[in-house]
Each structure stands twice: as structure tokens, then as C-alpha cells.
Amino acid sequence: MEAVEGMQAPGFSLKDETGQTVSLNNFAGENYVVLYFYPKDMTPGCTTQACDFRDASADFSELNAVILGVSADSADQHTKFISKHGLPFSLLVDEDHEVSEAYGVWKEKNMYGKTFMGIERSTFLIDPTGTIIKEWRKVKVADHIKEVLETLKAVSNQ
């Protein structure tokens, strides 16, 4: 079963780039969580997406939202990615793809005639009660962050 709008977001505890454990529960009752899954650090689409979130991070903060990126990359890779691009948010390590599977974003992919398993670029907006209020799957990077921000503005003003 994959995570869908209206359901409780699957809980998780993952290490961030510094080795600290970050849990969805850390934000319960306090913050909206923008949980975005991406295929790989340092690749063109993922870099653009991360930098778009970076550039809009103050806007998300003003709306009481925390941004968390998730990929199967190691903490070392995340650290390099963060420092190279000045990312002001945590990237979580899902090397065994347990959380990616819980959210239904670990999918069979095809590239250059090869089939492999990997993360399908997806974003989930989770409210302070832990409910998924919006999901975006098969995300196209262009204008995605603007759409997430507009949705957050709409729900946080209710």
C-alpha cells in the first residue's frame, strides 16, 4: 500500500547527513513537513530541485514548514551535496529504501534500455497532525516548488 492523500503519513526515523536521527514525530503538532524523495545527489534534475527548495526555503519557513529530502545516498554523499549547493535543510539516508517503499516511491525504472529499482521523484505535504494533505508523484522539476508553496499557502491560511 502506498501513501496517499488523506491518510496518516507512514512514520519514519532516518539518519540525516550528520548522523542525527530525524523522525516524522519530531514535527508532530508543530510543523508542516515537505517530504521530498529524489533519485540521486549531484545529478542534474535533483540538483535543480534541491536548489529550488533552497531558494524558497525562507518562504516555507514563514509558513511553518520543514523541508526534508530523502534518497538512498549515503550520509557522506548528502554532506557533499549540501555543502556544494548551500542547502539549508536536512537530507535523510534511506539506503535500505524502507521509507521509500512505505511511501510507494521505490519503483521499477528504465533508463537507456536497462531496468532497475530506484526512487520515483515524489513530494508529500504532511500537516502538523501527520496527515498527508497533498502528494505529487512523477514530479517534473520545473515549477514544482512553486506549486508546493502555493498549496502550502492555501492550506495554512484555512
Side-chain angles (χ1 to χ4, degrees), residues 49-58 67 84-89:
Q49 184 179 26
C51 291
D52 286 351
F53 271 122
R54 175 199 65 203
D55 296 346
S57 64
I67 299 166
K84 181 171 183 180
H85 298 287
L87 306 180
F89 48 84

Side-chain angles (χ1 to χ4, degrees), residues 49 52-53 56 59-60 63 136 140-154:
Q49 184 179 26
D52 286 351
F53 271 122
D59 297 327
F60 282 98
L63 295 167
W136 292 266
K140 302 285 181 252
V141 173
D143 294 326
H144 175 62
I145 277 62
K146 193 168 78 179
E147 198 178 318
V148 176
L149 199 52
E150 285 169 8
T151 302
L152 178 61
K153 281 179 185 165

Side-chain angles (χ1 to χ4, degrees), residues 102-157:
Y103 279 80
V105 301
W106 188 255
K107 304 273 189 179
E108 187 174 277
K109 300 170 85 175
N110 289 300
M111 190 182 291
Y112 308 120
K114 290 191 169 110
T115 301
F116 60 97
M117 296 300 289
I119 290 177
E120 178 181 270
R121 190 182 312 278
S122 305
T123 303
F124 297 86
L125 180 58
I126 302 166
D127 76 9
T129 71
T131 302
I132 297 171
I133 49 179
K134 183 75 178 157
E135 63 178 320
W136 292 266
R137 293 181 182 272
K138 296 184 181 171
V139 166
K140 302 285 181 252
V141 173
D143 294 326
H144 175 62
I145 277 62
K146 193 168 78 179
E147 198 178 318
V148 176
L149 199 52
E150 285 169 8
T151 302
L152 178 61
K153 281 179 185 165
V155 298
S156 64
N157 288 331

